[in-house]
Amino acid sequence: HGTYLRGRGRMIHPSAIVHPEARLAPDVSVGPFAIIGARVEIGAGTRIDSNVLIEGRTRIGRDNRIFPFASIGAAPQDKKYADEDTAVEIGDGNTIREYVTINRGTAQDAGVTRIGDDNWIMAYVHFAHDCQIGSHTIFANYCGLAGHVHVEDWAILGGMTLVHQFVRIGAHSFTSMGTYLPQDLPPYVMAAGNMAKPYGINSEGMRRRGFDAETIASLKRAYRALYRSGLSLQEARGELEKIAEGCSAVRPILEFLARSARGIIR
């Protein structure tokens, strides 16, 4: 594959094309045939593998690993887009596998597609324009997020999960393989199917993250009030308020419901 060129602490393969105005921090590694545009910033310790394309106004943090054939910062797949100055922002410690596509934002929203820290993004995942991804999430192969989707911390999306535009996905939630989410998925809830239906709370995931048995029991009570009691959504909110008085972990569910514009899966 040839010899890497070293300069100011960087390792850049001679076949890579790195625009002279791109800002690469020390210890950045750029593999064969990668292309990095003029307005790209990459933090220390990040590794860019072969044939990766990074363009547009894109800022990538420290210690990320980007695998071959990923495309980051391309123009959004939105017919309204008229070459406005929009961006992609990626935090630290993310793993972005083969053929992942991350499009930049649009003027109709925040103008930024944003990804937090320590996310595990598997092959062929697509993040459309203006998606806002938290930290510590997992996206299995072939997940597809339409525009304006928000995903909170610690969510796990199973392979081939598809998410409708403007949907919100709550923290610590989980989807099974092949799930289609046309509406919001509240925190802690597991979903599966097309159309997605709720199937309990993600208790195993919460145990792994240090939630104690009492908190998990309270969240199960909250789930039953929301999904198994036969109550209307407004009535269920009243029950959740009561449960939240004794368990602060229930409060994010209420806050999520208050922000939901598309309604939740039920």
Side-chain angles (χ1 to χ4, degrees), residues 66-141:
I66 303 175
F67 282 74
F69 300 101
S71 171
I72 299 174
Q77 298 176 80
D78 187 330
K79 288 186 175 181
K80 298 184 297 298
Y81 181 69
D83 204 30
E84 295 93 348
D85 185 20
T86 58
V88 169
E89 294 179 1
I90 297 174
D92 304 331
N94 297 286
T95 297
I96 300 173
R97 293 299 307 232
E98 297 83 355
Y99 294 98
V100 168
T101 53
I102 303 171
N103 294 165
R104 58 184 181 261
T106 65
Q108 286 74 41
D109 200 337
V112 179
T113 301
R114 185 175 288 110
I115 298 169
D117 303 327
D118 299 308
N119 297 289
W120 186 261
I121 305 166
M122 299 188 199
Y124 294 93
V125 169
H126 174 64
F127 292 157
H129 56 85
D130 304 293
C131 285
Q132 307 292 310
I133 311 299
S135 297
H136 308 289
T137 64
I138 298 175
F139 294 84
N141 298 295

Side-chain angles (χ1 to χ4, degrees), residues 21-242:
E21 294 180 12
R23 299 172 62 184
L24 276 60
D27 300 323
V28 170
S29 173
V30 181
F33 306 106
I35 300 175
I36 298 177
R39 306 181 70 192
V40 174
E41 300 179 24
I42 302 176
T46 289
R47 175 175 169 181
I48 310 298
D49 283 357
S50 66
N51 297 282
V52 171
L53 172 63
I54 306 175
E55 58 182 315
R57 181 158 58 89
T58 297
R59 186 171 68 212
I60 299 173
R62 301 172 58 93
D63 300 318
N64 296 281
R65 173 77 186 276
I66 303 175
F67 282 74
F69 300 101
S71 171
I72 299 174
Q77 298 176 80
D78 187 330
K79 288 186 175 181
K80 298 184 297 298
Y81 181 69
D83 204 30
E84 295 93 348
D85 185 20
T86 58
V88 169
E89 294 179 1
I90 297 174
D92 304 331
N94 297 286
T95 297
I96 300 173
R97 293 299 307 232
E98 297 83 355
Y99 294 98
V100 168
T101 53
I102 303 171
N103 294 165
R104 58 184 181 261
T106 65
Q108 286 74 41
D109 200 337
V112 179
T113 301
R114 185 175 288 110
I115 298 169
D117 303 327
D118 299 308
N119 297 289
W120 186 261
I121 305 166
M122 299 188 199
Y124 294 93
V125 169
H126 174 64
F127 292 157
H129 56 85
D130 304 293
C131 285
Q132 307 292 310
I133 311 299
S135 297
H136 308 289
T137 64
I138 298 175
F139 294 84
N141 298 295
Y142 299 100
C143 286
L145 274 58
H148 317 282
V149 169
H150 287 226
V151 181
E152 296 180 359
D153 296 348
W154 298 103
I156 299 176
L157 273 64
M160 294 181 283
T161 293
L162 300 177
V163 185
H164 194 280
Q165 59 261 37
F166 295 101
V167 161
R168 303 181 69 95
I169 297 174
H172 303 282
S173 59
F174 180 95
T175 68
S176 179
M177 180 179 67
T179 299
Y180 169 54
L181 281 174
Q183 291 180 292
D184 295 350
L185 177 63
Y188 313 112
V189 174
M190 297 192 298
N194 182 2
M195 306 289 192
K197 298 295 182 184
Y199 287 90
I201 66 167
N202 185 18
S203 55
E204 181 59 33
M206 286 184 280
R207 277 191 288 268
R208 292 175 182 176
R209 295 164 203 146
F211 285 66
D212 60 43
E214 184 177 354
T215 298
I216 292 173
S218 295
L219 290 168
K220 287 181 177 179
R221 286 177 56 208
Y223 176 85
R224 287 194 294 270
L226 189 58
Y227 286 110
R228 297 291 181 260
S229 63
L231 298 174
S232 69
L233 184 57
Q234 188 60 39
E235 292 168 335
R237 284 180 175 176
E239 290 300 310
L240 291 175
E241 289 283 0
K242 295 176 185 177

